Amino acid sequence: MIRYVLNKFIFMLISLFALVTATFVLMNAVPGSPLREEKATTAQIQKNMEAYYGLDKPLVQQYGVYLEKLAHFDLGISMKQRFRSVNQTIAQSFGYSLRLGIVSMITSVLAGCALGIIAAMRHRKLLDNLAMILAVAGLAVPSMVMAPLLQYLFAVKIRAFPVTGLHGPLDYVLPAIALSSVSIAFIARLIRSTMIEVLSADFIKTAKAKGLPGHLIVWRHALRNSMLPVVTYLGYLTANVITGSVIIEQIFAIPGMGKFFVQCVIDRDYPLIMGTTIFYAILLLASRFLADIAYLFVDPRIRISAGRMGG
Amino acid sequence: MPSELNLNADSDASPDRFRKIGRDPKRAERIARKSLSAWQDIRYRLFANKLALFGMYLMVAVVLFAIFAPLFSHYNYFSNDLDRTNQAPGFRHWFGTDDLGRDMYVRTWKGAQISLFVGVVAALIDLAIGIVYGGIMGYFGGKTDEIMNRIAEVLYAIPYLLVVILLLVVMPPSLTTIIVAMSITGWINMAWIVRGQIMQLKNEEYALASRALGAGPFRILFRHLIPNAMGPILVTLTLTVPGAMFTEAFLSFLGLGVQSPIASWGTMINDGVKAMTVYPWRLLFPALLLSLTMFAFNVFGDGLRDAFDPKLKK
């Protein structure tokens, strides 16, 4: 079991290192100096600026300094917003994204499970078909269509919810739905297909034979065994939420990290791009790592044979 | 006591209406159902699935319109007509016009061209790399498999979208960049599918026979094993397309992908969102088409997967 966790942890570090290195190489492969501007600056000012950002040193040394700072969670200084550190900027915007992200992850899991269980229990009946049509539609309608649609219908036409911003609890409803619709659909399909298989297993027949009522069979026996793929999916759910939040935050004008990540990409603010990318990467890799560990608790089989886990 | 059996009064199930047939050896050997080859069976089951069939028709329709609609229109996708901006859908402009007076009908189908092109090319690149990489992993096994698999795992762990956006920062925004960026980590899924298939197939008799006849590993792999693994490969291919289309629309929506005046569903949706309250049709058509196309590919891919899955055979 310890070997399994260690194995996963080392993988996470290698992936992170590869990404950090790739980011560094890519950002330095861009021709021209990031500090050059339209404004004419004297050679001395140029030099001072380069020294300020550490760009006067050889590339290998820059890389070393970068890694060292990173080890202390120091992501550097923004180039476009002078004298503001990347850490500050992330700290300011991440709160919004985190809150929205958590709300939509909870929504995804709860709604997805509910839909999937209903579909599996009424397999090949009306409710099943309805739930699955809903799920396929949810998968097909991408967030950049879903978000404006919800905004138009429920905020502009009906005026039930605020159009933009993220202040009160009502503000969360539309962005959270738009952000989780794809994940709800995905989880519903996962749960349905595993649960249909689980429901025909022998131990379910035993439970039925000993007289356990239907809802208890699902709750105590079937659900737990159907949760496995969902737990694996949780790591990817984080990725989905992050990807989605980039768009949702644009549309609902939420000053979160996604909106600001796109802005820094458009601005070509290299330290910010690097910083945000690495921050996102840590977030994603850590959540996948946690999902792997959660697997241990849900599936006792791994605890016993925690040796090889490839593919 | 059959005589006391309480039969219905109007039933005429009297013993003389029955006849003993006995055993007919010819009849026992008779083939009751028309014999179908594997591909015929798959086609039959795919076509029996109404939703998948609907998805297929939808796919074909979108492809045909994407190719022919811009050809048979008086308008093109880039010419401005500043006298007719933001026209509602009507006889002149079937889908209306945008803020520069460009015909939305032609632009929407031009967007379909871009979207389909990106989706199909990205899927084909994934296919090419995935088959070779996965084939080698699966066929040679052992240390080769171990090392190649580790490399793939590390790459797979790197968040896909971050790589795409990073590359877009460095390379000029164009279709090529988008496709290259998507292919960097996109092939891994396909490689794993192929690997799993090859590992199952490589010890089949026909592969052994081929080896006994002196065929080299690559001949066995590409002439015998890959064609037999085509089912799961096709399914993965179909399901890759909507993902790639989404990524293109996503990047274009954020202004990182295809640049104006080239029409892309992503950029058109972005423009449409801004004008949504006043000119809703500018959002409606590209959004509807993107969703419908992704729906079609998803549904068709699902149907294909079910058709290939022998466990679901009735």
Side-chain angles (χ1 to χ4, degrees):
Chain A
M1 184 172 148
I2 290 171
R3 223 190 112 187
Y4 169 83
V5 174
L6 212 63
N7 209 349
K8 291 287 176 192
F9 190 72
I10 289 170
F11 253 102
M12 183 177 79
L13 287 187
I14 294 175
S15 302
L16 189 63
F17 179 73
L19 189 75
V20 167
T21 309
T23 318
F24 186 83
V25 170
L26 276 177
M27 291 298 125
N28 282 289
V30 188
S33 162
L35 290 174
R36 190 132 308 149
E37 293 178 42
E38 297 82 38
K39 252 188 311 187
T41 41
T42 63
Q44 187 54 47
I45 292 176
Q46 231 6 286
K47 263 213 175 97
N48 287 347
M49 300 255 287
E50 277 180 14
Y52 180 69
Y53 286 106
L55 296 174
D56 52 343
K57 299 189 186 80
L59 217 54
V60 181
Q61 208 181 336
Q62 279 184 38
Y63 179 58
V65 170
Y66 188 69
L67 283 187
E68 199 198 317
K69 277 188 168 175
L70 201 60
H72 297 105
F73 297 107
D74 178 1
L75 294 169
I77 307 157
S78 162
M79 279 183 182
K80 289 281 147 65
Q81 301 161 287
R82 290 280 145 78
F83 311 116
R84 252 172 87 86
S85 77
V86 176
N87 287 18
Q88 256 178 327
T89 327
I90 290 179
Q92 214 171 51
S93 58
F94 183 58
Y96 292 100
S97 304
L98 185 69
R99 267 172 285 156
L100 182 58
I102 289 176
V103 169
S104 78
M105 278 172 98
I106 294 172
T107 319
S108 309
V109 173
L110 290 184
C113 285
L115 217 59
I117 292 170
I118 291 172
M121 286 178 73
R122 299 270 176 276
H123 186 35
R124 297 218 167 121
K125 297 217 179 77
L126 182 71
L127 266 179
D128 177 26
N129 291 338
L130 272 181
M132 280 307 108
I133 286 173
L134 211 65
V136 175
L139 275 185
V141 180
S143 43
M144 60 259 204
V145 175
M146 187 62 102
L149 197 73
L150 289 173
Q151 205 179 30
Y152 186 66
L153 289 180
F154 296 106
V156 178
K157 284 277 156 192
I158 302 181
R159 291 172 195 268
F161 297 101
V163 182
T164 55
L166 199 64
H167 308 287
L170 266 187
D171 289 329
Y172 282 87
V173 177
L174 293 184
I177 294 175
L179 196 48
S180 44
S181 64
V182 173
S183 307
I184 291 176
F186 202 93
I187 292 177
R189 282 160 53 116
L190 270 183
I191 289 266
R192 175 182 175 267
S193 62
T194 25
M195 198 160 215
I196 285 172
E197 229 166 88
V198 169
L199 281 179
S200 60
D202 287 339
F203 64 92
I204 296 292
K205 279 179 199 145
T206 312
K208 230 181 255 172
K210 76 178 183 193
L212 212 60
H215 63 275
L216 276 182
I217 294 179
V218 168
W219 186 245
R220 281 207 202 139
H221 299 284
L223 188 59
R224 191 166 169 173
N225 282 285
S226 314
M227 282 306 277
L228 281 177
V230 177
V231 172
T232 334
Y233 179 68
L234 282 183
Y236 298 92
L237 179 61
T238 325
N240 264 6
V241 165
I242 288 176
T243 315
S245 75
V246 172
I247 282 183
I248 302 295
E249 286 174 11
Q250 291 278 333
I251 293 175
F252 288 96
I254 296 163
M257 225 177 118
K259 187 165 161 41
F260 140 86
F261 179 53
V262 176
Q263 194 51 48
C264 74
V265 170
I266 292 170
D267 284 349
R268 306 282 140 122
D269 191 338
Y270 294 110
L272 258 184
I273 299 177
M274 279 163 85
T276 344
T277 308
I278 289 164
F279 184 78
Y280 271 146
I282 293 175
L283 210 64
L284 281 174
L285 291 173
S287 64
R288 264 181 220 174
F289 176 67
L290 288 179
D292 282 335
I293 293 184
Y295 220 87
L296 280 180
F297 293 99
V298 192
D299 191 354
R301 277 169 297 186
I302 296 180
R303 252 174 290 173
I304 298 160
S305 64
R308 272 185 53 85
M309 270 294 294
Chain B
M1 284 186 281
S3 57
E4 277 186 22
L5 208 68
N6 189 13
L7 292 168
N8 268 341
D10 54 332
S11 150
D12 31 57
S14 56
D16 55 285
R17 289 183 64 93
F18 289 91
R19 171 170 67 89
K20 197 172 181 184
I21 301 177
R23 272 167 58 96
D24 182 359
K26 268 198 210 126
R27 204 163 236 222
E29 292 293 312
R30 201 174 56 115
I31 296 167
R33 204 172 174 180
K34 213 177 104 197
S35 116
L36 294 172
S37 74
W39 285 101
Q40 278 172 329
D41 186 42
I42 285 157
R43 202 174 52 204
Y44 171 77
R45 281 159 59 200
L46 181 65
F47 287 172
N49 184 342
K50 292 273 157 46
L51 198 59
L53 204 61
F54 176 65
M56 197 179 78
Y57 288 141
L58 213 59
M59 264 164 62
V60 173
V62 170
V63 170
L64 288 181
F65 267 97
I67 297 172
F68 293 111
L71 287 180
F72 292 119
S73 176
H74 330 287
Y75 304 102
N76 58 35
Y77 68 90
F78 51 82
S79 290
N80 303 343
D81 182 356
L82 295 176
D83 292 335
R84 296 182 184 284
T85 57
N86 295 319
Q87 299 271 307
F91 274 117
R92 268 184 102 101
H93 298 281
W94 291 351
F95 287 1
T97 60
D98 67 2
D99 55 342
L100 294 173
R102 296 177 292 199
D103 182 59
M104 285 291 289
Y105 179 72
V106 174
R107 279 182 77 72
T108 304
W109 293 115
K110 205 72 192 171
Q113 275 181 15
I114 303 266
S115 197
L116 288 169
F117 178 77
V118 170
V120 170
V121 172
L124 287 181
I125 292 176
D126 288 357
L127 175 77
I129 304 176
I131 280 188
V132 173
Y133 199 93
I136 292 174
M137 271 201 290
Y139 190 78
F140 292 103
K143 270 269 169 289
T144 321
D145 180 34
E146 182 100 351
I147 293 168
M148 288 174 87
N149 206 1
R150 285 290 139 114
I151 295 173
E153 268 182 53
V154 169
L155 269 179
Y156 192 69
I158 297 175
Y160 165 72
L161 202 81
L162 293 183
V163 179
V164 176
I165 289 184
L166 273 183
L167 267 190
L168 284 172
V169 172
V170 181
M171 289 160 76
S174 71
L175 273 188
T176 328
T177 311
I178 295 181
I179 292 173
V180 168
M182 286 200 285
S183 306
I184 289 182
T185 55
W187 55 272
I188 297 169
N189 204 10
M190 180 64 89
W192 278 334
I193 299 275
V194 174
R195 170 178 177 265
Q197 287 293 311
I198 299 301
M199 280 165 80
Q200 272 179 21
L201 294 174
K202 69 179 175 188
N203 291 323
E204 294 277 324
E205 278 83 359
Y206 58 85
L208 292 177
S210 183
R211 199 184 310 164
L213 286 169
F218 286 97
R219 188 183 165 84
I220 299 176
L221 194 56
F222 290 109
R223 288 296 296 273
H224 300 294
L225 299 182
I226 297 288
N228 278 294
M230 225 49 216
I233 293 177
L234 264 182
V235 173
T236 316
L237 194 69
T238 321
L239 291 174
T240 313
V241 176
M245 284 165 65
F246 169 74
T247 309
E248 187 271 323
F250 172 85
L251 294 169
S252 300
F253 179 87
L254 296 175
L256 300 171
V258 180
Q259 304 290 315
S260 186
I262 301 172
S264 151
W265 284 340
T267 43
M268 289 164 79
I269 291 173
N270 192 10
D271 289 343
V273 168
K274 289 174 198 149
M276 146 178 101
T277 43
V278 198
Y279 313 116
W281 61 88
R282 282 179 50 194
L283 174 65
L284 176 72
F285 292 108
L288 191 70
L289 255 293
L290 175 62
S291 306
L292 270 184
T293 314
M294 281 180 63
F295 173 80
F297 272 93
N298 272 320
V299 163
F300 180 70
D302 283 349
L304 207 58
R305 183 177 45 207
D306 289 351
F308 273 111
D309 190 348
K311 271 191 287 183
L312 293 176
K313 213 165 173 172
K314 275 174 242 164

